[in-house]
């Protein structure tokens, strides 16, 4: 995790624990949510305390959700978890920070890394009509994906519906690719890839993996 982000947020929490963000209102579109302040500005690449809860906003202004930001986890509403266990099994404390020594999902006998092999497709939009992604969470070299999975058939002719499920993948050696239609495929950083994926912007999420180890992750238009 990014220790710099953890230190910065700790400072912010320490200085502003009793304060909320200035008055404003939530706005949304097909991409996501953002917070508009009374002066018309909005936060970018920053944490905001809104009505007593902490939210993180990307550099494009959209609220992060269902993901790790440094050592802190934000849930489906965007609010930072405190004194809780995250969906991928990690414990966070009263300040929201990950507790390193706490047992996590990967040491539990009840949940294990995916055994899937092949090419898998998920329509990267909110779940509806038996397709879409419920959540994508990344912690270190692990990625947890919940949604409707489809697997490319062995002959490459069609996708087989695997239904709604949660899979935990290893992504330590994965390549990240953005495929933009007529534009040549381009390699992107892990951070940029998951920022795009988190926006549920209609790009298809395609995973090529061997026994749960993702070799290539592609966002395709």
């Amino acid at each position: 995790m990014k220790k710099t982000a953890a230190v910065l947020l700790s400072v912010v929490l320490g200085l502003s624990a009793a304060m909320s963000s200035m008055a404003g209102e939530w706005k949304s579109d097909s991409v996501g949510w953002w917070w508009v302040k009374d002066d018309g500005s909005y936060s970018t690449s920053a944490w905001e305390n809104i009505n007593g809860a902490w939210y993180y906003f990307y550099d494009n202004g959209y609220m992060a959700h269902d993901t790790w930001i440094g050592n802190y986890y934000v849930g489906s509403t965007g609010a930072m978890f405190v004194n809780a266990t995250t969906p991928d099994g990690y414990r966070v404390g009263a300040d929201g920070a990950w507790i390193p020594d706490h047992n996590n999902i990967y040491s539990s006998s009840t949940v294990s890394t995916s055994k899937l092999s092949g090419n898998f497709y998920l329509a990267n939009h909110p779940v509806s009509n038996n397709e879409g992604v419920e959540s994508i969470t990344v912690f270190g070299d692990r990625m947890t994906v919940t949604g409707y999975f489809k697997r490319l058939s062995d002959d490459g002719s069609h996708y087989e519906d695997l239904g709604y499920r949660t899979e935990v993948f290893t992504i330590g050696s994965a390549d990240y690719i953005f495929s933009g239609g007529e534009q040549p495929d381009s390699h992107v950083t892990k951070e940029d890839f998951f920022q795009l994926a988190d926006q549920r912007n209609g790009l298809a999420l395609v995973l090529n993996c061997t026994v749960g180890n993702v070799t290539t992750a592609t966002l395709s238009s």
Side-chain angles (χ1 to χ4, degrees):
M1 306 303 294
K2 297 180 180 177
K3 300 301 181 185
T4 301
V7 171
L8 289 175
L9 182 54
S10 295
V11 172
V12 173
L13 289 171
L15 293 175
S16 308
M19 300 175 59
S20 292
S21 175
M22 68 177 69
E25 62 177 332
W26 287 102
K27 298 277 190 179
S28 68
D29 59 16
S30 60
V31 175
W33 291 84
W34 69 97
W35 176 255
V36 180
K37 302 175 184 178
D38 273 355
D39 62 2
S41 66
Y42 55 90
S43 294
T44 59
S45 301
W47 290 90
E48 287 283 352
N49 188 316
I50 301 171
N51 298 326
W54 287 96
Y55 299 82
Y56 184 80
F57 298 89
Y58 291 123
D59 58 5
N60 58 11
Y62 285 106
M63 179 195 77
H65 62 90
D66 298 298
T67 193
W68 287 92
I69 305 294
N71 282 348
Y72 302 85
Y73 186 83
V74 291
S76 59
T77 66
M80 184 184 74
F81 276 30
V82 294
N83 284 329
T85 300
T86 65
D88 47 358
Y90 290 90
R91 187 71 184 171
V92 296
D95 61 353
W98 165 55
I99 303 173
D101 295 332
H102 195 280
N103 289 338
N104 62 65
I105 196 171
Y106 303 113
S107 62
S108 168
S109 60
T110 61
V111 179
S112 59
T113 304
S114 174
K115 304 302 182 186
L116 293 179
S117 294
N119 288 286
F120 299 90
Y121 166 91
L122 296 95
N124 194 23
H125 56 65
V127 168
S128 64
N129 299 321
N130 294 324
E131 66 173 23
V133 174
E134 184 71 34
S135 65
I136 301 172
T137 58
V138 177
F139 191 90
D141 65 350
R142 304 278 182 159
M143 172 179 66
T144 304
V145 181
T146 298
Y148 287 92
F149 281 73
K150 299 179 186 292
R151 180 184 181 278
L152 185 65
S153 63
D154 291 338
D155 63 7
S157 63
H158 65 282
Y159 279 98
E160 303 163 346
D161 192 353
L162 300 183
Y164 183 86
R165 58 202 295 163
T166 296
E167 297 287 345
V168 180
F169 298 97
T170 301
I171 56 173
S173 59
D175 285 331
Y176 300 97
I177 296 173
F178 175 74
S179 180
E182 296 180 358
Q183 299 297 320
D185 292 355
S186 59
H187 289 266
V188 296
T189 65
K190 176 181 176 181
E191 290 75 14
D192 286 346
F193 182 91
F194 286 109
Q195 180 175 331
L196 284 169
D198 187 53
Q199 293 172 8
R200 303 291 189 274
N201 48 20
L203 297 172
L205 175 63
V206 181
L207 304 173
N208 180 277
C209 56
T210 302
V211 195
N213 290 283
V214 176
T215 56
T216 305
T218 303
L219 284 173
S220 178
S221 60

